[in-house]
Amino acid sequence: MADIIQLLPDSVANQIAAGEVIQRPASAVKELLENAIDAGSDTISLVIKDAGKTLIQVNDNGSGMSETDARLSFERHATSKIKHAADLFNINTKGFRGEALASIAAIAQVELKTKKEGKDLGTNILMEGSEVKEQEPCSTSKGTSFSIKNLFFNVPARRNFLKSNPVEVKHIIDEFQRVALVHADISFSMYNNGNEVFNLKKGSFRQRIVGIFGEKYNQRLVPVIEDTDLVKIEGFVSKPEFAKKTRGEQFFFVNDRFIKSAYLNHAVQNAFDQLLSKDQFPSYFLKLTIDPTKIDINIHPTKTEIKFEDERAIYAIIRTAVKQALGKHNIAPTLDFEQENSFNVPLMKNTDSIKVPTIKVNPSYNPFETKIVSTPPPKPKADNWDSLYSSFEKDTNEIIEHQEKKQEQQVFSSNWDNEEDEETKTLLQLHNKYIFTQLKSGYLIIDQQRAHERILFEQFLKNLEEGKGITQQLLFPETVDFVSADAELLNELKSEVANLGFTMDKVGRSSFVVNGVPAELKDQNVKKVFESLLEQFKMNESELKLKKHENLAISMARSSAIKSGKKLNTEEMKVLVDELFACEMPYSLPNGKPTIISLNLDDLNQQFDYQ
Ligand code: ADP
Ligand code: MG
């Protein structure tokens, strides 16, 4: 029988390799930014269109390439960064595999313009599906510019597999931030569909963090510094009072490379010990410098995980360093010598005494209470609940029994309102969290926050799909400022946000004027709803991989539902329970957690030892 094994053509081999290296536009962004850094650039710009699906362009002012190198750079295993196997154990550059450009060129149309210092002409190369389409001298400035057009144009399955634009832009911004954060000595800018998203000047690490995450971070950061034989640590953790409800800004960099490590994350979380409850997460930005021979970065194709020779010692050092930093902050919280004056932070007067800042917030304060011109949302039909409810109503015995018990209940529950009408007497709120209600066969316990989340989730999902969100116009439009990344995400979500019922316009680079809000929000603080919405959206996106509409509906519901701890009057409880039973799926949240528990009267009787 004839031999059947053949070597795959390069274009096919490259396409297969591309599957590992380039999963989405953000992966290409990461590779191009890293190449620009390795080339010694000090100014790098990123331009994307259509979430990187139609264009990703990275321009740098680094070393540039000779004509031969430019051509060779697209070959697989072509790299200027390592020569021998031994070099693998002493890597000081971001790249070293020589795979990225070959992979990108296999699955996109690529235009490269590059010129070395002192040359009159540079080189222009057009590639498409691993083939050189054109190569000619060109005039261009010193450095390199890569334009990646129509990513995955020849791998439709991959292209279709990409998520919505907001999600892909979010991934790109994540990669951009990870690279830009740790290279504060390089200026970075980013443009999305012509909008400037970031414009970061050279500066200190602190200035870079503030440049990316906003001015308010300046006073949130506690410096962490430690220098041992094994590892040098420098960076910042957030003050405990600024901890977040979701994992927010948590960054480890090892030798200027962003890494993920659940183990080291635990070391930081652990250092906060008693300072945070278990559902609070600190932000941190920690740079570790370590002898490259003591780590192995070769274990993951996209290189966000690394192996340390002595992980446990590093754990202990990080934990101690963060603990010490927090200890110092506790003793002298306002003595933060590193704080940058250039951010216009008022300097402390000599006469000011040093004390721990306390923040008093009135959670029920609502600036919209009188501003909203109200158009009440349509009430859903309450068939299911009515049938449950009426089965109780019909049972006169129980009503009489209940009447008799009322006296006793008053003794036990100050929540019971004497003035309420007959029908509503069966609703009782306990611990400002659970609503108890009686059924013929037993009773129901309803979690008020989850119930409201379920109701809003279904309503928002419907609004998103049908584009029929009802708007309440604000009498006084509200201007809301965001950090650049969030403003961009919101901009990407604008048609969905409009379907939900928001009417808003982008003003300036990262501010919006909100003219109207979804009727479901009633009297909520607009800025808080947006902040929480974006935070939830980002978390759900990365952790749950939800569809965009579901994600948005869940995030909106989570951020605008009434919370546990809110006292409800009987009418409010009734509306809530009515609306819950009008839901398609009243019994649980989209994540499966229960909204209602039902308990059987027989069980209760048994507990009291009745026959
Ligand atoms: P690697 O970065 O692993 O070496 P790449 O495929 O990313 O592999 O790049 C191949 C080579 O092309 C690099 O080793 C470098 O010599 C060259 N190169 C890529 N991008 C640039 C750039 N922006 N400026 C100068 N040279 C570059
Ligand atoms: Mg590279």
Side-chain angles (χ1 to χ4, degrees), residues 30-36 38 78-79 81 94-101 303:
K30 173 176 188 273
E31 294 296 337
L32 295 177
L33 291 176
E34 291 190 345
N35 279 348
D38 284 345
T79 179
K81 299 171 193 175
K94 311 257 166 225
F96 57 87
R97 293 165 170 253
E99 283 183 317
L101 292 181
K303 296 166 279 178

PDB file of all heavy atoms in Angstrom, residues 30-36 38 78-79 81 94-101 303, ligand 2:
ATOM      1  N   LYS A  30      -2.839  41.956  21.804  1.00  0.00           N
ATOM      2  CA  LYS A  30      -1.788  41.654  22.785  1.00  0.00           C
ATOM      3  C   LYS A  30      -0.462  41.376  22.086  1.00  0.00           C
ATOM      4  O   LYS A  30       0.579  41.946  22.455  1.00  0.00           O
ATOM      5  CB  LYS A  30      -2.215  40.447  23.614  1.00  0.00           C
ATOM      6  CG  LYS A  30      -1.149  39.932  24.542  1.00  0.00           C
ATOM      7  CD  LYS A  30      -1.698  38.801  25.406  1.00  0.00           C
ATOM      8  CE  LYS A  30      -0.728  38.385  26.480  1.00  0.00           C
ATOM      9  NZ  LYS A  30       0.234  37.380  26.058  1.00  0.00           N
ATOM     10  N   GLU A  31      -0.474  40.525  21.075  1.00  0.00           N
ATOM     11  CA  GLU A  31       0.777  40.168  20.393  1.00  0.00           C
ATOM     12  C   GLU A  31       1.424  41.384  19.738  1.00  0.00           C
ATOM     13  O   GLU A  31       2.641  41.564  19.812  1.00  0.00           O
ATOM     14  CB  GLU A  31       0.512  39.083  19.338  1.00  0.00           C
ATOM     15  CG  GLU A  31       0.067  37.742  19.910  1.00  0.00           C
ATOM     16  CD  GLU A  31       1.113  37.067  20.789  1.00  0.00           C
ATOM     17  OE1 GLU A  31       2.316  37.375  20.643  1.00  0.00           O
ATOM     18  OE2 GLU A  31       0.716  36.238  21.642  1.00  0.00           O
ATOM     19  N   LEU A  32       0.599  42.226  19.105  1.00  0.00           N
ATOM     20  CA  LEU A  32       1.173  43.383  18.408  1.00  0.00           C
ATOM     21  C   LEU A  32       1.728  44.405  19.394  1.00  0.00           C
ATOM     22  O   LEU A  32       2.801  44.992  19.172  1.00  0.00           O
ATOM     23  CB  LEU A  32       0.122  44.037  17.507  1.00  0.00           C
ATOM     24  CG  LEU A  32      -0.387  43.177  16.342  1.00  0.00           C
ATOM     25  CD1 LEU A  32      -1.473  43.907  15.566  1.00  0.00           C
ATOM     26  CD2 LEU A  32       0.763  42.806  15.393  1.00  0.00           C
ATOM     27  N   LEU A  33       1.006  44.620  20.493  1.00  0.00           N
ATOM     28  CA  LEU A  33       1.507  45.570  21.499  1.00  0.00           C
ATOM     29  C   LEU A  33       2.824  45.052  22.090  1.00  0.00           C
ATOM     30  O   LEU A  33       3.775  45.814  22.293  1.00  0.00           O
ATOM     31  CB  LEU A  33       0.485  45.768  22.626  1.00  0.00           C
ATOM     32  CG  LEU A  33      -0.800  46.518  22.260  1.00  0.00           C
ATOM     33  CD1 LEU A  33      -1.756  46.549  23.463  1.00  0.00           C
ATOM     34  CD2 LEU A  33      -0.496  47.955  21.821  1.00  0.00           C
ATOM     35  N   GLU A  34       2.876  43.756  22.353  1.00  0.00           N
ATOM     36  CA  GLU A  34       4.097  43.194  22.937  1.00  0.00           C
ATOM     37  C   GLU A  34       5.275  43.306  21.974  1.00  0.00           C
ATOM     38  O   GLU A  34       6.392  43.614  22.389  1.00  0.00           O
ATOM     39  CB  GLU A  34       3.859  41.733  23.335  1.00  0.00           C
ATOM     40  CG  GLU A  34       2.908  41.631  24.517  1.00  0.00           C
ATOM     41  CD  GLU A  34       2.827  40.233  25.120  1.00  0.00           C
ATOM     42  OE1 GLU A  34       3.278  39.268  24.460  1.00  0.00           O
ATOM     43  OE2 GLU A  34       2.314  40.106  26.235  1.00  0.00           O
ATOM     44  N   ASN A  35       5.017  43.069  20.695  1.00  0.00           N
ATOM     45  CA  ASN A  35       6.098  43.229  19.713  1.00  0.00           C
ATOM     46  C   ASN A  35       6.601  44.674  19.701  1.00  0.00           C
ATOM     47  O   ASN A  35       7.803  44.922  19.591  1.00  0.00           O
ATOM     48  CB  ASN A  35       5.610  42.850  18.313  1.00  0.00           C
ATOM     49  CG  ASN A  35       5.621  41.340  18.100  1.00  0.00           C
ATOM     50  OD1 ASN A  35       6.190  40.599  18.893  1.00  0.00           O
ATOM     51  ND2 ASN A  35       4.964  40.901  17.039  1.00  0.00           N
ATOM     52  N   ALA A  36       5.671  45.628  19.787  1.00  0.00           N
ATOM     53  CA  ALA A  36       6.059  47.040  19.763  1.00  0.00           C
ATOM     54  C   ALA A  36       6.926  47.371  20.975  1.00  0.00           C
ATOM     55  O   ALA A  36       7.895  48.137  20.871  1.00  0.00           O
ATOM     56  CB  ALA A  36       4.815  47.923  19.739  1.00  0.00           C
ATOM     57  N   ASP A  38       8.796  45.135  22.705  1.00  0.00           N
ATOM     58  CA  ASP A  38      10.082  44.446  22.501  1.00  0.00           C
ATOM     59  C   ASP A  38      10.977  45.225  21.531  1.00  0.00           C
ATOM     60  O   ASP A  38      12.198  45.114  21.581  1.00  0.00           O
ATOM     61  CB  ASP A  38       9.858  43.025  21.955  1.00  0.00           C
ATOM     62  CG  ASP A  38       9.389  42.053  23.037  1.00  0.00           C
ATOM     63  OD1 ASP A  38       9.514  42.388  24.235  1.00  0.00           O
ATOM     64  OD2 ASP A  38       8.879  40.967  22.696  1.00  0.00           O
ATOM     65  N   ALA A  78      10.084  32.237  13.308  1.00  0.00           N
ATOM     66  CA  ALA A  78      11.063  33.270  12.948  1.00  0.00           C
ATOM     67  C   ALA A  78      11.053  34.309  14.054  1.00  0.00           C
ATOM     68  O   ALA A  78      10.044  34.967  14.281  1.00  0.00           O
ATOM     69  CB  ALA A  78      10.671  33.910  11.620  1.00  0.00           C
ATOM     70  N   THR A  79      12.151  34.407  14.766  1.00  0.00           N
ATOM     71  CA  THR A  79      12.220  35.357  15.877  1.00  0.00           C
ATOM     72  C   THR A  79      13.623  35.915  15.995  1.00  0.00           C
ATOM     73  O   THR A  79      14.596  35.226  15.663  1.00  0.00           O
ATOM     74  CB  THR A  79      11.807  34.686  17.208  1.00  0.00           C
ATOM     75  OG1 THR A  79      11.917  35.652  18.263  1.00  0.00           O
ATOM     76  CG2 THR A  79      12.682  33.481  17.546  1.00  0.00           C
ATOM     77  N   LYS A  81      14.453  37.019  18.959  1.00  0.00           N
ATOM     78  CA  LYS A  81      14.552  37.176  20.416  1.00  0.00           C
ATOM     79  C   LYS A  81      15.277  36.044  21.140  1.00  0.00           C
ATOM     80  O   LYS A  81      15.783  36.246  22.235  1.00  0.00           O
ATOM     81  CB  LYS A  81      13.151  37.410  20.991  1.00  0.00           C
ATOM     82  CG  LYS A  81      12.553  38.689  20.402  1.00  0.00           C
ATOM     83  CD  LYS A  81      11.109  38.926  20.710  1.00  0.00           C
ATOM     84  CE  LYS A  81      10.577  40.032  19.799  1.00  0.00           C
ATOM     85  NZ  LYS A  81       9.142  40.251  19.949  1.00  0.00           N
ATOM     86  N   LYS A  94       8.958  39.970  25.690  1.00  0.00           N
ATOM     87  CA  LYS A  94       7.588  39.456  25.797  1.00  0.00           C
ATOM     88  C   LYS A  94       7.418  38.243  24.884  1.00  0.00           C
ATOM     89  O   LYS A  94       6.828  37.257  25.232  1.00  0.00           O
ATOM     90  CB  LYS A  94       6.592  40.521  25.332  1.00  0.00           C
ATOM     91  CG  LYS A  94       6.809  41.848  25.941  1.00  0.00           C
ATOM     92  CD  LYS A  94       5.792  42.073  26.999  1.00  0.00           C
ATOM     93  CE  LYS A  94       6.197  43.235  27.834  1.00  0.00           C
ATOM     94  NZ  LYS A  94       6.038  42.983  29.241  1.00  0.00           N
ATOM     95  N   GLY A  95       7.887  38.394  23.659  1.00  0.00           N
ATOM     96  CA  GLY A  95       7.731  37.306  22.706  1.00  0.00           C
ATOM     97  C   GLY A  95       8.998  36.480  22.669  1.00  0.00           C
ATOM     98  O   GLY A  95      10.037  36.897  23.174  1.00  0.00           O
ATOM     99  N   PHE A  96       8.914  35.298  22.107  1.00  0.00           N
ATOM    100  CA  PHE A  96      10.104  34.470  21.896  1.00  0.00           C
ATOM    101  C   PHE A  96       9.773  33.264  21.033  1.00  0.00           C
ATOM    102  O   PHE A  96      10.637  32.561  20.567  1.00  0.00           O
ATOM    103  CB  PHE A  96      10.717  34.005  23.226  1.00  0.00           C
ATOM    104  CG  PHE A  96       9.760  33.250  24.103  1.00  0.00           C
ATOM    105  CD1 PHE A  96       9.602  31.874  23.955  1.00  0.00           C
ATOM    106  CD2 PHE A  96       9.007  33.905  25.069  1.00  0.00           C
ATOM    107  CE1 PHE A  96       8.709  31.174  24.757  1.00  0.00           C
ATOM    108  CE2 PHE A  96       8.115  33.210  25.868  1.00  0.00           C
ATOM    109  CZ  PHE A  96       7.966  31.846  25.722  1.00  0.00           C
ATOM    110  N   ARG A  97       8.480  33.033  20.774  1.00  0.00           N
ATOM    111  CA  ARG A  97       8.097  31.828  20.053  1.00  0.00           C
ATOM    112  C   ARG A  97       8.142  32.006  18.537  1.00  0.00           C
ATOM    113  O   ARG A  97       8.098  31.025  17.806  1.00  0.00           O
ATOM    114  CB  ARG A  97       6.668  31.445  20.424  1.00  0.00           C
ATOM    115  CG  ARG A  97       6.524  31.024  21.846  1.00  0.00           C
ATOM    116  CD  ARG A  97       5.054  31.011  22.238  1.00  0.00           C
ATOM    117  NE  ARG A  97       4.896  30.393  23.527  1.00  0.00           N
ATOM    118  CZ  ARG A  97       4.390  29.180  23.710  1.00  0.00           C
ATOM    119  NH1 ARG A  97       3.979  28.468  22.691  1.00  0.00           N
ATOM    120  NH2 ARG A  97       4.289  28.691  24.917  1.00  0.00           N
ATOM    121  N   GLY A  98       8.115  33.258  18.093  1.00  0.00           N
ATOM    122  CA  GLY A  98       8.130  33.500  16.652  1.00  0.00           C
ATOM    123  C   GLY A  98       6.899  32.963  15.958  1.00  0.00           C
ATOM    124  O   GLY A  98       6.942  32.558  14.798  1.00  0.00           O
ATOM    125  N   GLU A  99       5.780  32.960  16.647  1.00  0.00           N
ATOM    126  CA  GLU A  99       4.562  32.373  16.083  1.00  0.00           C
ATOM    127  C   GLU A  99       3.502  33.399  15.760  1.00  0.00           C
ATOM    128  O   GLU A  99       2.632  33.149  14.935  1.00  0.00           O
ATOM    129  CB  GLU A  99       3.913  31.455  17.134  1.00  0.00           C
ATOM    130  CG  GLU A  99       4.549  30.152  17.312  1.00  0.00           C
ATOM    131  CD  GLU A  99       3.768  29.319  18.322  1.00  0.00           C
ATOM    132  OE1 GLU A  99       3.348  29.854  19.372  1.00  0.00           O
ATOM    133  OE2 GLU A  99       3.587  28.139  18.039  1.00  0.00           O
ATOM    134  N   ALA A 100       3.542  34.546  16.477  1.00  0.00           N
ATOM    135  CA  ALA A 100       2.382  35.442  16.441  1.00  0.00           C
ATOM    136  C   ALA A 100       2.116  35.969  15.039  1.00  0.00           C
ATOM    137  O   ALA A 100       1.002  35.837  14.523  1.00  0.00           O
ATOM    138  CB  ALA A 100       2.592  36.589  17.414  1.00  0.00           C
ATOM    139  N   LEU A 101       3.132  36.544  14.406  1.00  0.00           N
ATOM    140  CA  LEU A 101       2.880  37.151  13.096  1.00  0.00           C
ATOM    141  C   LEU A 101       2.517  36.099  12.063  1.00  0.00           C
ATOM    142  O   LEU A 101       1.630  36.316  11.229  1.00  0.00           O
ATOM    143  CB  LEU A 101       4.094  37.967  12.645  1.00  0.00           C
ATOM    144  CG  LEU A 101       4.366  39.234  13.475  1.00  0.00           C
ATOM    145  CD1 LEU A 101       5.573  39.981  12.917  1.00  0.00           C
ATOM    146  CD2 LEU A 101       3.139  40.148  13.494  1.00  0.00           C
ATOM    147  N   LYS A 303       0.520  32.628  27.560  1.00  0.00           N
ATOM    148  CA  LYS A 303       1.491  33.058  28.563  1.00  0.00           C
ATOM    149  C   LYS A 303       0.919  33.917  29.692  1.00  0.00           C
ATOM    150  O   LYS A 303       1.533  34.868  30.116  1.00  0.00           O
ATOM    151  CB  LYS A 303       2.626  33.814  27.860  1.00  0.00           C
ATOM    152  CG  LYS A 303       3.413  32.945  26.909  1.00  0.00           C
ATOM    153  CD  LYS A 303       4.295  33.776  25.989  1.00  0.00           C
ATOM    154  CE  LYS A 303       3.498  34.303  24.855  1.00  0.00           C
ATOM    155  NZ  LYS A 303       4.016  35.117  23.877  1.00  0.00           N
TER     156      LYS A 303
HETATM  157 MG    MG B   2       5.772  38.589  19.341  1.00  0.00          MG
END
